[in-house]
């Protein structure tokens, strides 16, 4: 068994309105020094296979479904 | 008598439209009614009926239809990304059939979530092949970061390639509502807009009420060059964010009591154009 974390985040230069709205709201609550907020999505996938294979399969999942290469980057880490 | 090169147009009542649904689509009734309003037969068909996962008596074959329409809504809950799940499900089941359908020249329309699906499916912009292996564009979060919902003014900028605007004169403006949070068309290609322009793939642009260049809120999502709808290089696949099926009659235009020029709604010519062109 392998558990992988698939992290999908936005490519550099792609606006992140959810992140910037969150930043504004945190500031309105009085948090000081919030330089930046970015959003990302994490899928935790459990695979019945060895770790090195799981990483490859996770990357294929990103290419086929989980990430749109125009706007998103992905990274896969095995726990 | 008009010359059709030996092939006669089909009578509208013989044209069969497949309005594709899965869980979360929610504009399928309006879409089917819009095609019926111009005389075609329209059927709401669940994806499972096309891929053989329903009882035999309810099965449908994409091959039997003349037009495929992907309605708006929130297919599969917009999980992962808007349109991504339905696109992946189509690709893995009837992907080849859909590709053949498009290669045959049969029209495919995607409105709002339907447009997002066509982009995720690689049927738009489709610069180099009918259906690209992965998405080559994205419909991303509006610049405002919000769901935008209001009437917009669209100008037909197509020079004649798109089958869905074949009876709409170039430069004519039409009013249609938008309702989306992810409508900003993006690509990695720095010459994206120029390529669309060169191929005559730009169908509609947002403009202001007086026809001049749109800016927010007339362009609701911040798409470069105010693009609201595009077609594939062959002109038989069109995706657009605004909802023509919501304005089939004047009665559903927000200003109908003040500006009732005719009872026809501004969305109707799109459906009439395509149904008239089926051979």
């Amino acid at each position: 068994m392998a558990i992988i974390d698939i992290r999908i985040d936005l490519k550099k230069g792609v606006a992140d309105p959810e992140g910037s709205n969150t930043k504004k709201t945190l500031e309105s609550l009085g948090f000081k020094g919030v330089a930046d907020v970015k959003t990302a999505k994490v899928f935790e996938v459990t695979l019945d296979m060895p770790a090195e294979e799981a990483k490859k399969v996770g990357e294929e999942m990103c290419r086929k479904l989980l990430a749109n290469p125009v706007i998103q980057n992905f990274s896969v880490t095995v726990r | 008598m008009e010359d059709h090169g030996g092939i006669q147009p089909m009578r509208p009542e013989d044209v069969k439209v497949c309005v594709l649904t899965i869980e979360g689509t929610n504009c399928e009734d309006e879409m089917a009614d819009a095609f019926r309003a111009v005389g075609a037969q329209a059927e709401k068909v669940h994806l499972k009926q096309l891929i053989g996962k329903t009882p035999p008596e309810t099965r449908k074959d994409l091959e039997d239809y003349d037009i495929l329409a992907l309605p708006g809504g929130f297919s599969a809950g917009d999980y992962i990304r808007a349109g991504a799940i339905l696109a992946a499900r189509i690709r893995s089941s009837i992907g080849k059939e859909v590709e053949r359908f498009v290669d045959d020249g049969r029209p495919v329309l995607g409105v709002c979530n339907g447009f997002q699906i066509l982009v995720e499916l690689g049927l738009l912009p489709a610069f180099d092949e009918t259906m690209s292996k992965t998405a080559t564009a994205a419909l991303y979060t509006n610049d405002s970061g919000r769901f935008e919902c209001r009437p917009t003014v669209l100008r037909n900028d197509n020079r004649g390639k798109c089958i869905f605007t074949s009876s709409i004169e170039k430069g004519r403006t039409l009013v249609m509502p938008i309702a989306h949070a992810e409508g900003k068309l993006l690509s990695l290609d720095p010459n994206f807009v120029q390529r669309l322009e060169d191929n005559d793939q730009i169908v509609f642009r947002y403009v202001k009420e007086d026809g001049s260049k749109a800016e927010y809120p007339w362009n609701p999502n911040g798409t470069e060059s105010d693009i609201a709808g595009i077609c594939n290089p062959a002109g038989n696949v069109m995706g657009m964010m605004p909802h023509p099926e919501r304005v089939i009659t004047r009665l559903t235009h927000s200003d109908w009591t003040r500006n009732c020029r005719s009872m026809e709604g501004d969305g109707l010519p799109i459906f009439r154009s395509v149904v008239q062109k089926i051979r």
Side-chain angles (χ1 to χ4, degrees):
Chain A
M1 276 302 187
I3 298 175
I4 54 174
D5 283 327
I6 299 177
R7 182 187 155 98
I8 310 288
D9 52 21
L10 291 167
K11 283 196 166 165
K12 211 175 162 218
V14 176
D16 184 353
E18 190 178 352
S20 44
N21 268 317
T22 306
K23 177 174 181 286
K24 259 188 257 168
T25 309
L26 289 171
E27 284 164 345
S28 76
L29 287 171
F31 288 99
K32 303 270 181 249
V34 183
D36 195 17
V37 177
K38 288 196 173 76
T39 58
K41 199 171 208 172
V42 176
F43 296 87
E44 180 189 302
V45 183
T46 308
L47 291 164
D48 191 4
M49 59 184 72
E52 49 294 5
E53 196 186 342
K55 187 169 161 63
K56 282 203 187 94
V57 170
E59 286 165 353
E60 194 56 20
M61 288 172 175
C62 293
R63 280 187 280 270
K64 285 201 165 161
L65 179 65
L66 302 178
N68 180 318
V70 176
I71 49 171
Q72 293 165 323
N73 290 319
F74 61 82
S75 61
V76 179
T77 48
V78 182
R79 286 215 191 151
Chain B
M1 202 176 148
E2 209 181 330
D3 181 17
H4 296 288
I7 304 166
Q8 294 300 310
M10 279 172 76
R11 296 181 307 167
E13 59 270 34
D14 294 332
V15 173
K16 290 183 74 181
V17 185
C18 172
V19 178
L20 187 66
T21 70
I22 64 163
E23 54 279 12
T25 41
N26 66 12
C27 299
E28 63 270 28
D29 284 315
E30 297 94 317
M31 184 67 98
D33 283 346
F35 279 104
R36 288 176 193 137
V38 293
Q41 297 176 43
E43 255 183 272
K44 291 176 281 175
V45 179
H46 196 280
L47 180 67
K48 285 187 176 178
Q49 292 177 273
L50 291 178
I51 64 182
K53 286 196 173 166
T54 55
E57 64 275 17
T58 64
R59 290 201 189 147
K60 304 284 179 187
D61 188 351
L62 185 62
E63 197 55 31
D64 296 334
Y65 296 92
D66 304 297
I67 298 174
L68 172 64
L70 305 178
F74 302 84
S75 60
D78 273 358
Y79 294 157
I80 302 179
R81 288 177 311 283
I85 290 185
L86 180 50
R89 284 175 60 183
I90 292 174
R91 191 188 287 279
S92 64
S93 56
I94 52 166
K96 285 275 169 280
E97 287 167 59
V98 171
E99 196 173 356
R100 212 163 39 234
F101 193 91
V102 174
D103 276 335
D104 272 2
R106 281 184 270 183
V108 178
L109 172 65
V111 167
C112 198
N113 191 226
F115 186 14
Q116 294 162 339
I117 293 159
L118 291 176
V119 166
E120 286 285 344
L121 195 51
L123 284 175
L124 287 175
F127 286 137
D128 304 313
E129 48 196 335
T130 306
M131 186 166 143
S132 54
K133 299 268 176 300
T134 55
T136 58
L139 283 157
Y140 182 61
T141 308
N142 299 341
D143 274 353
S144 64
R146 285 196 292 260
F147 185 83
E148 300 278 346
C149 185
R150 74 178 79 83
T152 57
V153 185
L154 307 175
R155 186 181 60 219
N156 173 23
D157 275 357
N158 199 256
R159 302 192 293 274
K161 185 174 273 183
C162 182
I163 194 171
F164 292 91
T165 51
S166 52
S167 72
I168 305 171
E169 65 187 279
K170 186 172 179 297
R172 182 178 165 193
T173 56
L174 300 162
V175 176
M176 292 181 209
I178 50 103
H180 62 257
E182 294 97 7
K184 184 175 182 175
L185 185 63
L186 291 174
S187 158
L188 289 175
D189 186 342
N191 300 317
F192 184 56
V193 173
Q194 194 56 50
R195 275 184 96 176
L196 290 172
E197 191 75 77
D198 291 347
N199 291 344
D200 195 17
Q201 287 183 251
I202 296 173
V203 184
F204 290 114
R205 278 194 173 89
Y206 300 107
V207 291
K208 279 189 189 162
E209 241 176 339
D210 63 5
S212 60
K213 185 176 167 21
E215 50 200 56
Y216 185 80
W218 297 99
N219 173 342
N221 48 49
T223 299
E224 190 187 344
S225 193
D226 305 315
I227 294 169
I230 60 171
C231 65
N232 65 345
N236 64 320
V237 178
M238 178 176 82
M240 59 190 292
M241 290 313 297
H243 285 273
E245 81 286 4
R246 293 189 185 174
V247 280
I248 291 308
T249 122
R250 186 58 47 189
L251 299 175
T252 52
H253 277 281
S254 57
D255 62 344
W256 75 276
T257 55
R258 282 163 284 147
N259 291 313
C260 197
R261 296 178 297 278
S262 77
M263 284 314 287
E264 184 176 308
D266 281 8
L268 198 69
I270 289 180
F271 299 94
R272 187 189 292 127
S273 294
V274 64
V275 168
Q276 279 175 349
K277 280 277 179 178
I278 302 287
R279 295 283 184 271

